[in-house]
Amino acid sequence: MIDDLYSARILSLAANLPHAGRLESPQGTGERTAKLCGSRAVVDVVLDAQGRVAAFAQDVKACALGQAAAGVLGQSVIGADMADIQAARDAMQAMLKSGGEGPEGRFEGLRILKQVADYPARHASTLVAIEATLDAMRMALVAAAAPTRTA
């Protein structure tokens, strides 16, 4: 039953979104929308000199499952680099689509959404925040690599 998806833990994660809002001066911003359900995430990041997330904010309008995924992401993203987040996204996709175990390490909490695999219509909403984060990081890395102009 779909009601089994909405455990107390998932609802708690959805209701307590870490780093909610927007950053005043982000280096990168990413936005993703799940076409099927309209779940949307806008993510701002600031990276440190090693390309790790130093500051993070997310504005997420999604179902409880998308909010829960964003909650886990928000709890674990500070200090992560692009490879960490890509690995988490890839493991999450494998968990949802092909029976994979799910992310390991700092993003292992996303495994709470393993049952979503049985509901393909919900897959995209669980990925909007992580995809928006990757887009924001790409933008920040491009901006950091661009030559600065001097007057």
Side-chain angles (χ1 to χ4, degrees), residues 24-113:
E24 190 171 310
S25 298
Q27 291 174 322
T29 298
E31 181 176 345
R32 287 292 179 112
T33 302
K35 291 179 175 82
L36 185 62
C37 66
S39 291
R40 181 176 159 271
V42 178
V43 171
D44 295 325
V45 298
V46 172
L47 305 180
D48 67 14
Q50 289 75 41
R52 297 178 303 228
V53 177
F56 174 87
Q58 56 184 344
D59 181 17
V60 181
K61 306 289 188 255
C63 66
L65 300 171
Q67 291 279 135
V72 173
L73 178 70
Q75 290 173 345
S76 307
V77 73
I78 301 297
D81 63 18
M82 180 74 87
D84 295 331
I85 297 171
Q86 285 174 327
R89 189 262 327 265
D90 293 349
M92 183 81 171
Q93 287 177 326
M95 179 181 80
L96 294 173
K97 298 182 184 309
S98 58
E101 289 302 311
E104 297 178 347
R106 73 170 59 232
F107 296 108
E108 189 171 323
L110 289 167
R111 290 179 176 197
I112 194 169
L113 297 163

Coordinates of all heavy atoms in Angstrom, one line a residue, residues 24-113:
E24 N 21.9 34.5 0.3 CA 21.9 35.9 -0.2 C 22.9 36.0 -1.4 O 22.5 36.7 -2.3 CB 22.4 36.8 0.9 CG 22.2 38.2 0.6 CD 22.5 39.1 1.8 OE1 21.9 38.8 2.9 OE2 23.2 40.1 1.7
S25 N 24.0 35.4 -1.4 CA 25.0 35.5 -2.5 C 25.5 34.1 -2.9 O 26.7 33.8 -2.6 CB 26.1 36.4 -2.1 OG 25.7 37.7 -1.8
P26 N 24.7 33.3 -3.6 CA 25.2 32.0 -4.0 C 26.2 32.1 -5.1 O 26.2 33.0 -5.9 CB 24.0 31.3 -4.4 CG 23.1 32.4 -4.9 CD 23.4 33.5 -4.0
Q27 N 27.1 31.1 -5.2 CA 28.0 31.0 -6.3 C 27.3 30.2 -7.5 O 27.6 30.4 -8.6 CB 29.3 30.2 -5.9 CG 30.2 31.0 -5.0 CD 31.3 30.1 -4.5 OE1 31.2 28.9 -4.3 NE2 32.5 30.7 -4.4
G28 N 26.3 29.4 -7.1 CA 25.6 28.6 -8.0 C 24.2 28.4 -7.6 O 23.9 28.2 -6.4
T29 N 23.2 28.3 -8.5 CA 21.8 28.0 -8.2 C 21.4 27.0 -9.2 O 21.7 27.1 -10.4 CB 21.0 29.3 -8.4 OG1 21.4 30.3 -7.4 CG2 19.5 29.0 -8.1
G30 N 20.6 26.0 -8.7 CA 20.1 25.0 -9.6 C 18.6 24.9 -9.3 O 18.1 25.1 -8.2
E31 N 17.8 24.6 -10.4 CA 16.4 24.4 -10.2 C 15.9 23.2 -11.0 O 16.3 23.1 -12.2 CB 15.6 25.7 -10.7 CG 14.1 25.6 -10.5 CD 13.4 26.8 -10.9 OE1 14.1 27.9 -11.1 OE2 12.2 26.8 -11.1
R32 N 15.2 22.4 -10.4 CA 14.6 21.2 -11.1 C 13.1 21.1 -10.7 O 12.7 21.4 -9.6 CB 15.3 19.9 -10.6 CG 16.7 19.7 -11.2 CD 16.6 19.5 -12.7 NE 18.0 19.4 -13.3 CZ 18.4 18.2 -13.8 NH1 17.7 17.1 -13.8 NH2 19.7 18.2 -14.2
T33 N 12.3 20.6 -11.7 CA 10.9 20.3 -11.5 C 10.6 18.9 -12.0 O 11.1 18.6 -13.1 CB 10.1 21.4 -12.2 OG1 10.4 22.7 -11.8 CG2 8.6 21.1 -12.0
A34 N 9.9 18.2 -11.3 CA 9.4 16.8 -11.7 C 8.2 17.1 -12.6 O 7.2 17.6 -12.1 CB 9.1 15.9 -10.5
K35 N 8.3 16.7 -13.8 CA 7.2 17.0 -14.8 C 5.9 16.3 -14.4 O 4.9 16.9 -14.6 CB 7.6 16.6 -16.2 CG 8.7 17.5 -16.8 CD 9.1 17.0 -18.2 CE 10.1 17.9 -18.8 NZ 11.5 17.7 -18.4
L36 N 6.0 15.1 -13.9 CA 4.8 14.4 -13.7 C 3.9 14.9 -12.5 O 2.7 15.0 -12.6 CB 5.1 12.9 -13.4 CG 4.0 11.9 -13.2 CD1 3.1 11.8 -14.5 CD2 4.5 10.5 -12.8
C37 N 4.6 15.4 -11.5 CA 3.9 15.8 -10.3 C 4.0 17.3 -9.9 O 3.3 17.8 -9.1 CB 4.3 14.9 -9.1 SG 6.0 15.2 -8.6
G38 N 5.0 17.9 -10.6 CA 5.2 19.4 -10.3 C 6.1 19.6 -9.1 O 6.3 20.8 -8.7
S39 N 6.7 18.6 -8.4 CA 7.6 18.8 -7.3 C 8.7 19.7 -7.8 O 9.3 19.4 -8.9 CB 8.1 17.5 -6.8 OG 7.1 16.8 -6.1
R40 N 9.2 20.7 -7.0 CA 10.2 21.6 -7.5 C 11.2 21.9 -6.4 O 10.8 22.0 -5.2 CB 9.5 22.9 -7.9 CG 10.4 24.0 -8.4 CD 9.5 25.2 -8.8 NE 10.3 26.4 -8.9 CZ 10.5 27.2 -7.8 NH1 9.9 27.0 -6.7 NH2 11.2 28.3 -7.9
A41 N 12.5 22.0 -6.8 CA 13.5 22.4 -5.8 C 14.4 23.4 -6.5 O 14.8 23.3 -7.6 CB 14.4 21.2 -5.5
V42 N 14.7 24.5 -5.7 CA 15.7 25.5 -6.1 C 16.7 25.4 -5.0 O 16.4 25.5 -3.8 CB 15.0 26.9 -6.1 CG1 16.1 28.0 -6.4 CG2 13.9 27.0 -7.1
V43 N 18.0 25.3 -5.4 CA 19.1 25.1 -4.5 C 20.2 26.1 -4.8 O 20.5 26.4 -5.9 CB 19.7 23.7 -4.6 CG1 21.0 23.5 -3.8 CG2 18.7 22.6 -4.2
D44 N 20.7 26.7 -3.7 CA 21.8 27.7 -3.8 C 23.0 27.1 -3.1 O 22.8 26.4 -2.0 CB 21.5 29.0 -3.1 CG 20.4 29.8 -3.8 OD1 20.3 29.8 -5.0 OD2 19.6 30.4 -3.0
V45 N 24.2 27.2 -3.6 CA 25.4 26.8 -3.0 C 26.5 27.8 -3.0 O 26.6 28.6 -3.9 CB 25.9 25.4 -3.6 CG1 24.9 24.3 -3.4 CG2 26.4 25.6 -5.0
V46 N 27.4 27.7 -2.0 CA 28.7 28.3 -2.0 C 29.7 27.2 -1.8 O 29.5 26.3 -0.9 CB 28.8 29.4 -0.9 CG1 30.2 29.9 -0.8 CG2 27.8 30.5 -1.2
L47 N 30.7 27.1 -2.6 CA 31.7 26.1 -2.5 C 33.0 26.6 -1.8 O 33.3 27.8 -2.0 CB 32.1 25.5 -3.8 CG 30.9 25.0 -4.7 CD1 31.4 24.4 -6.0 CD2 30.1 23.9 -3.9
D48 N 33.7 25.8 -1.2 CA 35.0 26.2 -0.6 C 36.1 26.0 -1.7 O 35.8 25.6 -2.8 CB 35.4 25.4 0.7 CG 35.6 23.9 0.5 OD1 35.8 23.4 -0.7 OD2 35.6 23.1 1.5
A49 N 37.3 26.3 -1.4 CA 38.4 26.2 -2.3 C 38.7 24.9 -2.9 O 39.2 24.7 -4.0 CB 39.7 26.8 -1.7
Q50 N 38.2 23.8 -2.2 CA 38.4 22.4 -2.7 C 37.1 21.9 -3.5 O 37.0 20.8 -3.8 CB 38.7 21.5 -1.6 CG 40.1 21.6 -1.0 CD 40.2 22.9 -0.1 OE1 39.3 23.2 0.7 NE2 41.3 23.6 -0.2
G51 N 36.1 22.8 -3.7 CA 34.9 22.4 -4.4 C 33.9 21.7 -3.6 O 33.0 21.0 -4.1
R52 N 34.0 21.8 -2.3 CA 33.1 21.2 -1.4 C 32.0 22.2 -1.0 O 32.3 23.4 -0.9 CB 33.7 20.6 -0.1 CG 34.7 19.5 -0.4 CD 35.4 19.1 0.8 NE 36.0 20.2 1.5 CZ 37.3 20.2 2.0 NH1 38.0 19.2 1.9 NH2 37.7 21.3 2.5
V53 N 30.8 21.7 -0.7 CA 29.7 22.6 -0.3 C 30.0 23.2 1.1 O 30.2 22.5 2.1 CB 28.4 21.8 -0.2 CG1 27.3 22.7 0.3 CG2 28.0 21.2 -1.5
A54 N 30.1 24.6 1.1 CA 30.4 25.3 2.3 C 29.1 25.9 2.9 O 29.0 26.1 4.1 CB 31.5 26.4 2.1
A55 N 28.2 26.3 1.9 CA 27.0 26.9 2.3 C 25.9 26.4 1.4 O 26.2 26.2 0.2 CB 27.0 28.4 2.3
F56 N 24.7 26.1 1.9 CA 23.7 25.5 1.1 C 22.3 26.0 1.6 O 22.1 26.2 2.8 CB 23.8 23.9 1.4 CG 22.7 23.1 0.8 CD1 22.8 22.6 -0.5 CD2 21.6 22.7 1.6 CE1 21.8 21.8 -1.0 CE2 20.6 21.9 1.0 CZ 20.7 21.5 -0.3
A57 N 21.4 26.2 0.7 CA 20.0 26.5 1.0 C 19.1 25.9 -0.1 O 19.5 25.8 -1.2 CB 19.8 28.0 1.0
Q58 N 18.0 25.5 0.4 CA 17.0 24.9 -0.6 C 15.6 25.3 -0.3 O 15.2 25.5 0.8 CB 17.1 23.3 -0.5 CG 16.9 22.8 0.9 CD 17.0 21.3 1.0 OE1 17.1 20.6 0.0 NE2 17.2 20.7 2.2
D59 N 15.0 25.6 -1.4 CA 13.5 26.0 -1.4 C 12.8 24.8 -2.2 O 12.9 24.7 -3.4 CB 13.3 27.3 -2.1 CG 11.9 27.8 -2.1 OD1 11.1 27.2 -1.3 OD2 11.6 28.7 -2.9
V60 N 12.2 24.0 -1.4 CA 11.6 22.8 -2.0 C 10.1 22.8 -1.8 O 9.6 22.9 -0.7 CB 12.2 21.5 -1.3 CG1 11.6 20.2 -1.9 CG2 13.7 21.5 -1.5
K61 N 9.4 22.6 -2.9 CA 7.9 22.5 -2.9 C 7.6 21.1 -3.5 O 7.6 21.0 -4.7 CB 7.3 23.6 -3.7 CG 7.7 25.0 -3.3 CD 7.1 25.4 -2.0 CE 7.3 26.9 -1.7 NZ 8.3 27.2 -0.7
A62 N 7.4 20.1 -2.7 CA 7.3 18.8 -3.2 C 6.4 18.0 -2.3 O 6.0 18.4 -1.2 CB 8.7 18.1 -3.3
C63 N 6.0 16.8 -2.7 CA 5.3 15.9 -1.9 C 6.1 15.5 -0.7 O 7.3 15.8 -0.6 CB 4.9 14.6 -2.7 SG 6.2 13.6 -3.2
A64 N 5.6 14.7 0.2 CA 6.3 14.3 1.4 C 7.6 13.5 1.1 O 8.6 13.6 1.7 CB 5.4 13.5 2.4
L65 N 7.5 12.7 0.0 CA 8.7 11.9 -0.4 C 9.8 12.8 -0.9 O 11.0 12.6 -0.6 CB 8.3 10.9 -1.4 CG 7.2 9.9 -0.9 CD1 6.7 9.0 -2.1 CD2 7.7 9.0 0.2
G66 N 9.4 13.8 -1.7 CA 10.4 14.7 -2.2 C 11.0 15.6 -1.1 O 12.2 15.8 -1.1
Q67 N 10.2 16.0 -0.2 CA 10.6 16.8 1.0 C 11.5 15.9 1.9 O 12.5 16.4 2.4 CB 9.4 17.3 1.8 CG 8.6 18.3 1.1 CD 9.1 19.7 1.2 OE1 9.1 20.4 0.3 NE2 9.5 20.1 2.4
A68 N 11.2 14.6 2.1 CA 12.0 13.8 2.9 C 13.4 13.6 2.3 O 14.4 13.7 3.0 CB 11.3 12.4 3.1
A69 N 13.5 13.4 0.9 CA 14.7 13.3 0.3 C 15.6 14.5 0.4 O 16.8 14.5 0.7 CB 14.5 12.9 -1.2
A70 N 14.9 15.7 0.3 CA 15.6 17.0 0.5 C 16.0 17.1 1.9 O 17.1 17.7 2.2 CB 14.6 18.1 0.1
G71 N 15.3 16.6 2.9 CA 15.7 16.6 4.3 C 16.9 15.9 4.5 O 17.8 16.4 5.2
V72 N 17.0 14.7 4.0 CA 18.3 13.9 4.1 C 19.4 14.6 3.5 O 20.5 14.7 4.0 CB 18.1 12.5 3.5 CG1 19.5 11.7 3.5 CG2 17.1 11.7 4.3
L73 N 19.2 15.1 2.3 CA 20.2 15.9 1.6 C 20.7 17.0 2.4 O 21.9 17.2 2.6 CB 19.7 16.4 0.2 CG 20.6 17.2 -0.6 CD1 21.8 16.4 -1.2 CD2 19.9 17.9 -1.7
G74 N 19.8 17.8 3.0 CA 20.1 19.0 3.8 C 20.9 18.6 5.0 O 21.8 19.4 5.4
Q75 N 20.7 17.5 5.6 CA 21.4 17.0 6.8 C 22.8 16.7 6.5 O 23.7 16.7 7.4 CB 20.7 15.8 7.4 CG 19.4 16.1 8.0 CD 18.7 14.8 8.5 OE1 19.1 13.7 8.1 NE2 17.7 14.9 9.3
S76 N 23.1 16.3 5.2 CA 24.4 15.7 4.9 C 25.3 16.4 3.9 O 26.4 16.0 3.7 CB 24.1 14.2 4.4 OG 23.3 13.5 5.3
V77 N 24.8 17.4 3.3 CA 25.4 18.0 2.1 C 26.6 18.9 2.5 O 27.6 19.0 1.6 CB 24.4 18.8 1.3 CG1 24.0 20.1 1.9 CG2 24.9 19.0 -0.1
I78 N 26.7 19.5 3.6 CA 27.8 20.4 3.9 C 29.1 19.6 4.0 O 29.1 18.6 4.7 CB 27.6 21.2 5.2 CG1 26.3 22.0 5.2 CG2 28.8 22.0 5.6 CD1 26.3 23.1 4.1
G79 N 30.1 20.0 3.2 CA 31.3 19.2 3.1 C 31.4 18.3 2.0 O 32.5 17.7 1.7
A80 N 30.3 18.0 1.3 CA 30.3 17.1 0.2 C 30.8 17.7 -1.1 O 30.7 18.9 -1.3 CB 28.9 16.6 -0.1
D81 N 31.5 17.0 -1.9 CA 31.9 17.5 -3.2 C 31.1 16.9 -4.3 O 30.2 16.1 -4.1 CB 33.4 17.2 -3.5 CG 33.8 15.7 -3.5 OD1 32.9 14.9 -3.7 OD2 35.0 15.4 -3.4
M82 N 31.3 17.3 -5.6 CA 30.5 16.9 -6.7 C 30.5 15.4 -6.8 O 29.4 14.8 -7.0 CB 31.1 17.5 -8.0 CG 30.3 17.1 -9.2 SD 28.7 17.9 -9.4 CE 29.2 19.4 -10.2
A83 N 31.6 14.7 -6.6 CA 31.7 13.2 -6.8 C 30.8 12.6 -5.7 O 30.1 11.6 -6.0 CB 33.1 12.7 -6.7
D84 N 30.8 13.1 -4.5 CA 29.9 12.5 -3.4 C 28.5 12.6 -3.8 O 27.7 11.6 -3.6 CB 30.1 13.3 -2.1 CG 31.5 13.2 -1.5 OD1 32.2 12.2 -1.7 OD2 31.8 14.2 -0.8
I85 N 28.1 13.7 -4.3 CA 26.7 14.0 -4.6 C 26.3 13.2 -5.9 O 25.2 12.6 -6.0 CB 26.3 15.5 -4.7 CG1 26.6 16.1 -3.3 CG2 24.9 15.7 -5.1 CD1 26.5 17.6 -3.3
Q86 N 27.1 13.1 -6.9 CA 26.8 12.3 -8.1 C 26.7 10.8 -7.7 O 25.8 10.2 -8.2 CB 27.9 12.5 -9.1 CG 27.9 13.8 -9.8 CD 29.0 14.0 -10.8 OE1 30.2 13.6 -10.5 NE2 28.8 14.8 -11.8
A87 N 27.6 10.3 -6.8 CA 27.5 9.0 -6.4 C 26.2 8.7 -5.7 O 25.6 7.6 -5.9 CB 28.7 8.6 -5.5
A88 N 25.8 9.6 -4.8 CA 24.5 9.5 -4.1 C 23.4 9.4 -5.1 O 22.4 8.6 -5.0 CB 24.3 10.6 -3.1
R89 N 23.4 10.3 -6.1 CA 22.3 10.4 -7.1 C 22.3 9.1 -7.9 O 21.2 8.5 -8.1 CB 22.5 11.6 -8.0 CG 21.4 11.9 -9.0 CD 21.6 11.3 -10.4 NE 22.9 11.3 -10.9 CZ 23.5 12.2 -11.7 NH1 22.9 13.3 -12.0 NH2 24.7 12.0 -12.1
D90 N 23.4 8.6 -8.3 CA 23.5 7.4 -9.1 C 23.0 6.2 -8.3 O 22.2 5.3 -8.8 CB 24.9 7.1 -9.6 CG 25.4 8.2 -10.6 OD1 24.5 9.0 -11.1 OD2 26.6 8.2 -10.9
A91 N 23.4 6.1 -7.0 CA 23.0 5.0 -6.2 C 21.5 5.1 -5.9 O 20.8 4.1 -5.8 CB 23.8 5.0 -4.9
M92 N 21.0 6.3 -5.8 CA 19.5 6.5 -5.6 C 18.8 6.1 -6.8 O 17.7 5.4 -6.7 CB 19.3 8.0 -5.3 CG 17.9 8.4 -5.0 SD 17.5 8.0 -3.3 CE 15.9 8.7 -3.2
Q93 N 19.2 6.4 -8.0 CA 18.6 6.0 -9.2 C 18.6 4.5 -9.3 O 17.6 3.9 -9.7 CB 19.2 6.6 -10.4 CG 18.9 8.1 -10.6 CD 19.6 8.8 -11.7 OE1 20.7 8.4 -12.1 NE2 18.9 9.7 -12.3
A94 N 19.7 3.9 -9.0 CA 19.8 2.4 -9.1 C 18.9 1.8 -8.1 O 18.2 0.7 -8.3 CB 21.2 2.0 -8.8
M95 N 18.7 2.4 -6.9 CA 17.8 1.9 -5.9 C 16.4 1.9 -6.3 O 15.6 1.0 -6.2 CB 18.0 2.7 -4.6 CG 17.1 2.2 -3.4 SD 17.3 3.3 -1.9 CE 16.4 4.7 -2.4
L96 N 16.0 3.0 -7.0 CA 14.6 3.2 -7.4 C 14.3 2.4 -8.7 O 13.2 1.9 -8.8 CB 14.4 4.7 -7.7 CG 14.4 5.6 -6.5 CD1 14.3 7.1 -7.0 CD2 13.3 5.3 -5.5
K97 N 15.3 2.2 -9.6 CA 15.0 1.6 -10.9 C 15.4 0.2 -11.1 O 14.8 -0.5 -11.9 CB 15.6 2.5 -12.0 CG 15.0 3.9 -12.0 CD 15.5 4.7 -13.1 CE 15.0 6.1 -13.1 NZ 13.6 6.4 -13.0
S98 N 16.4 -0.3 -10.3 CA 17.0 -1.6 -10.6 C 17.3 -2.4 -9.3 O 18.2 -3.3 -9.4 CB 18.2 -1.5 -11.5 OG 19.2 -0.7 -11.0
G99 N 16.7 -2.1 -8.2 CA 16.9 -2.9 -7.0 C 18.2 -2.7 -6.3 O 18.6 -3.5 -5.4
G100 N 18.9 -1.6 -6.6 CA 20.1 -1.3 -5.8 C 19.9 -1.1 -4.4 O 18.7 -0.8 -3.9
E101 N 20.9 -1.1 -3.6 CA 20.8 -0.9 -2.1 C 20.6 0.6 -1.7 O 20.1 0.8 -0.7 CB 22.0 -1.5 -1.4 CG 22.1 -3.0 -1.5 CD 20.8 -3.6 -0.8 OE1 20.4 -3.2 0.3 OE2 20.2 -4.5 -1.5
G102 N 21.1 1.5 -2.6 CA 21.0 2.9 -2.2 C 22.3 3.5 -1.9 O 23.3 2.8 -1.8
P103 N 22.3 4.8 -1.6 CA 23.5 5.5 -1.3 C 24.2 5.0 0.0 O 23.6 4.4 0.9 CB 23.1 6.9 -1.1 CG 21.8 7.0 -1.9 CD 21.2 5.7 -1.7
E104 N 25.5 5.1 0.0 CA 26.3 4.8 1.2 C 26.9 6.0 1.8 O 26.8 7.1 1.2 CB 27.4 3.8 0.8 CG 26.9 2.5 0.2 CD 28.0 1.6 -0.2 OE1 29.2 2.0 -0.4 OE2 27.7 0.4 -0.5
G105 N 27.6 5.9 2.9 CA 28.3 7.0 3.5 C 27.4 8.1 3.9 O 26.3 7.9 4.5
R106 N 27.8 9.3 3.7 CA 27.1 10.5 4.2 C 25.6 10.6 3.8 O 24.8 11.2 4.4 CB 27.8 11.8 3.9 CG 27.8 12.2 2.5 CD 28.3 13.6 2.2 NE 29.7 13.8 2.6 CZ 30.1 14.8 3.3 NH1 29.2 15.7 3.8 NH2 31.3 14.9 3.6
F107 N 25.3 10.0 2.6 CA 23.9 10.1 2.1 C 23.1 8.7 2.3 O 22.1 8.5 1.7 CB 23.9 10.5 0.6 CG 24.5 11.9 0.4 CD1 25.7 12.1 -0.1 CD2 23.7 13.0 0.8 CE1 26.2 13.4 -0.3 CE2 24.2 14.3 0.7 CZ 25.5 14.5 0.1
E108 N 23.6 7.9 3.1 CA 23.0 6.6 3.4 C 21.5 6.8 3.8 O 20.7 5.9 3.6 CB 23.8 5.8 4.4 CG 23.3 4.4 4.5 CD 24.2 3.5 5.4 OE1 25.5 3.7 5.3 OE2 23.7 2.7 6.2
G109 N 21.2 7.9 4.5 CA 19.9 8.1 5.0 C 18.8 8.1 3.9 O 17.6 7.9 4.1
L110 N 19.2 8.3 2.6 CA 18.3 8.2 1.5 C 17.7 6.9 1.3 O 16.7 6.7 0.6 CB 19.0 8.7 0.2 CG 19.3 10.2 0.1 CD1 20.2 10.5 -1.0 CD2 18.0 11.0 0.0
R111 N 18.3 5.9 1.9 CA 17.8 4.5 1.8 C 16.4 4.4 2.4 O 15.7 3.4 2.1 CB 18.7 3.5 2.5 CG 20.0 3.3 1.7 CD 20.9 2.4 2.4 NE 22.1 2.1 1.7 CZ 22.9 1.1 1.9 NH1 22.7 0.2 2.8 NH2 24.0 0.9 1.1
I112 N 16.0 5.3 3.3 CA 14.7 5.3 3.8 C 13.6 5.3 2.7 O 12.5 4.9 3.0 CB 14.5 6.4 4.9 CG1 13.2 6.2 5.7 CG2 14.4 7.8 4.2 CD1 13.1 7.1 6.9
L113 N 14.0 5.8 1.6 CA 13.0 5.9 0.5 C 13.1 4.7 -0.5 O 12.5 4.7 -1.6 CB 13.3 7.2 -0.3 CG 13.2 8.4 0.5 CD1 13.8 9.6 -0.2 CD2 11.7 8.7 0.7

